[in-house]
Amino acid sequence: INGKKKTYNPVEISSFIIKKMVKNAEAYLNNKINKLVITVPAYFNDSQRKLTKQAAELIGLKVIRVINEPTAAALCYGFDKKENVNEKILIFDLGGGAFDVSILSLEKEVDNQNKLSFKVLGTSGDTQLGGEDFDNELVNYFLEKRKENENDIRNDKKAMKRLKVACENIKKILSLSEETTLRINDIYNGQDLNEKITREDFEKKCSHLFRKIEKALDEALIISKIKKGDIHQIILVGGSTRIPKVKQIVKDYFPDCNINDSINADEAVAHGATLAAEKILYNKDELMTNFHLLDIIPLSLGTDVKNNSTDPEIQKEGSEMSIIIKRGTTIPTFGTETYYSSSDDQTSMSMNIYEGEKKYVKYNHLLKKSNIAGLTKNR
């Protein structure tokens, strides 16, 4: 910047993106924006959600709600199909950088039959699976074809950038055609890159990524405590759901279920966030007034307890995780557990809060450290 090198942290980079998007919206609406709803992947932990919120606050915006992306996408379906109640809906969200599967229940509330609620039953997914991963596999595929100068190209940033962009386009073409050719003039040292690839080649190269999809579907059903046959609708969200193999996996997994891809895969989340903002800010529309959104805790919450194992190797793992509120619990909520001090006559004890699913707290995420003082001694 002005001839000087400047370093930015991830929160600042995110704030630049949000600022640009807000400017675009303000230009379209010809109106000032100072409040917004932000969506995040369902698997984001508490820290990631707070940092995303901070990115907006850094440029003077007020975040009125942070909601899960699959939940936002489901709002589009809920308002369009509000008569189809008491359904269980699976939101299959495969975007550019993350993969989320959420199962929601759309139903009328017991105490008020005019009110609808979206209740999230369970979520699963993979924060390291998205369109970019398919692009990277294509990059590796074409580089492996050029073994004589593979390392030279990998070490050339400009060449790699051109190859990455070209591979993203190849992925899109293979979603429409069975075969195509990658052509890049002067990819490295005056050499051109011309290689054919078929959709079958692409699917074979990405087979390990496709297997992750089925694993996440299995996990989502287990967490939600339902069976495949309980799902009424599947909604495809995210640009990567346009890959034919992805759609085929979903169809094979749910052979008797209706797959709804009528919602624009790229806009569904933003559309849902807009509807959520309308409800929170104005609550004027009848649909908004008669609609509740019940989200869940993405990761279990608990505290650390003593490791009582006599095995020295297990003792090395340190304190164990005692879950107080289970992953998938509808919020708002509360939980209680009874704990005892590790020795008699303690006047204080630590109470640290973690989130995660691992048995030992060192593998989970620490949310808060606290200390309880003023305990009375036993008499």
Side-chain angles (χ1 to χ4, degrees):
I1 297 177
N2 298 325
K4 295 181 180 180
K5 186 177 180 180
K6 184 171 175 61
T7 302
Y8 295 97
N9 62 42
V11 174
E12 291 172 318
I13 297 296
S14 295
S15 72
F16 298 153
I17 297 170
I18 294 171
K19 186 175 181 179
K20 171 61 176 174
M21 294 173 69
V22 168
K23 279 189 174 181
N24 290 346
E26 287 178 337
Y28 179 82
L29 296 169
N30 193 27
N31 203 355
K32 185 71 176 175
I33 292 174
N34 50 35
K35 297 178 182 178
L36 75 163
V37 168
I38 289 183
T39 64
V40 295
Y43 254 61
F44 261 26
N45 61 34
D46 183 71
S47 176
Q48 290 168 314
R49 290 167 192 265
K50 286 180 178 177
L51 290 173
T52 305
K53 185 178 179 181
Q54 285 176 18
E57 294 173 341
L58 195 63
I59 52 177
L61 295 168
K62 182 179 180 181
V63 180
I64 56 176
R65 186 74 62 84
V66 176
I67 61 176
N68 291 334
E69 290 172 359
T71 303
L75 287 175
C76 298
Y77 173 85
F79 286 101
D80 292 342
K81 309 287 185 181
K82 80 185 196 76
E83 296 302 324
N84 295 340
V85 294
N86 301 320
E87 286 190 353
K88 289 180 176 61
I89 306 158
L90 185 141
I91 311 297
F92 185 99
D93 187 351
L94 183 58
F99 171 47
D100 289 314
V101 178
S102 289
I103 297 175
L104 304 94
S105 175
L106 176 60
E107 54 194 38
K108 288 185 176 180
E109 296 187 1
V110 176
D111 58 341
N112 188 342
Q113 287 294 300
N114 292 322
K115 283 199 172 186
L116 297 175
S117 65
F118 256 134
K119 181 179 181 181
V120 182
L121 301 179
T123 64
S124 182
D126 192 327
T127 55
Q128 303 299 318
L129 177 61
E132 190 173 358
D133 297 285
F134 295 107
D135 298 342
N136 290 337
E137 289 302 323
L138 282 172
V139 168
N140 293 331
Y141 174 87
F142 289 114
L143 286 177
E144 288 164 6
K145 294 280 187 178
R146 300 293 293 266
K147 289 188 179 297
E148 68 279 3
N149 57 3
E150 177 184 346
N151 290 331
D152 293 330
I153 296 175
R154 286 189 185 277
N155 293 327
D156 188 318
K157 291 184 179 180
K158 186 177 180 180
M160 286 298 291
K161 184 176 181 180
R162 292 179 65 197
L163 180 57
K164 186 78 176 286
V165 172
C167 284
E168 184 180 2
N169 290 329
I170 288 293
K171 177 187 67 178
K172 294 176 180 178
I173 293 171
L174 288 175
S175 293
L176 303 172
S177 306
E178 293 290 338
E179 183 179 299
T180 189
T181 302
L182 175 73
R183 292 187 177 91
I184 303 178
N185 295 328
D186 191 14
I187 180 70
Y188 178 77
N189 200 23
Q191 299 180 40
D192 298 336
L193 182 58
N194 291 286
E195 292 287 348
K196 284 187 177 181
I197 183 172
T198 65
R199 184 184 292 176
E200 184 180 355
D201 294 330
F202 168 68
E203 292 176 354
K204 185 177 180 181
K205 183 65 178 173
C206 297
S207 59
H208 64 292
L209 298 178
F210 293 129
R211 284 195 292 271
K212 288 185 176 183
I213 293 175
E214 292 190 9
K215 181 180 178 182
L217 291 171
D218 288 338
E219 190 176 53
L221 290 172
I222 292 171
I223 293 170
S224 302
K225 299 179 181 179
I226 63 173
K227 300 176 182 178
K228 291 183 184 182
D230 295 329
I231 301 294
H232 297 89
Q233 292 273 351
I234 297 170
I235 298 176
L236 300 183
V237 179
S240 297
T241 58
R242 295 188 176 96
I243 298 174
K245 181 64 175 179
V246 171
K247 284 188 177 181
Q248 192 58 52
I249 290 173
V250 177
K251 287 180 180 178
D252 292 343
Y253 195 93
F254 297 99
D256 301 320
C257 193
N258 178 44
I259 297 178
N260 187 338
D261 57 0
S262 60
I263 297 174
N264 186 307
D266 297 310
E267 298 176 358
V269 172
H271 186 183
T274 305
L275 292 171
E278 169 74 9
K279 171 178 171 58
I280 296 165
L281 289 175
Y282 303 107
N283 217 7
K284 291 180 180 178
D285 193 293
E286 182 182 351
L287 288 176
M288 298 292 178
T289 304
N290 294 326
F291 189 84
H292 279 179
L293 180 61
L294 303 175
D295 223 328
I296 63 168
I297 292 174
L299 297 169
S300 297
L301 299 174
T303 189
D304 51 330
V305 295
K306 186 178 179 180
N307 184 338
N308 291 316
S309 175
T310 56
D311 187 327
E313 290 301 314
I314 295 178
Q315 270 291 336
K316 288 181 182 179
E317 295 290 342
S319 299
E320 295 183 4
M321 173 82 162
S322 173
I323 294 176
I324 301 174
I325 300 176
K326 291 183 178 180
R327 169 187 178 183
T329 302
T330 301
I331 51 180
T333 186
F334 70 93
T336 60
E337 286 289 339
T338 302
Y339 296 99
Y340 299 92
S341 58
S342 56
S343 59
D344 291 337
D345 298 328
Q346 279 186 226
T347 57
S348 66
M349 61 187 294
S350 64
M351 180 62 70
N352 303 320
I353 305 301
Y354 293 83
E355 65 175 356
E357 311 306 319
K358 302 298 184 182
K359 183 176 180 179
Y360 302 103
V361 294
K362 71 178 184 179
Y363 300 113
N364 292 326
H365 179 241
L366 176 64
L367 290 179
K368 183 178 177 63
K369 286 186 175 182
S370 61
N371 190 66
I372 301 174
L375 300 180
T376 55
K377 294 183 179 181
N378 292 330
R379 299 295 181 185

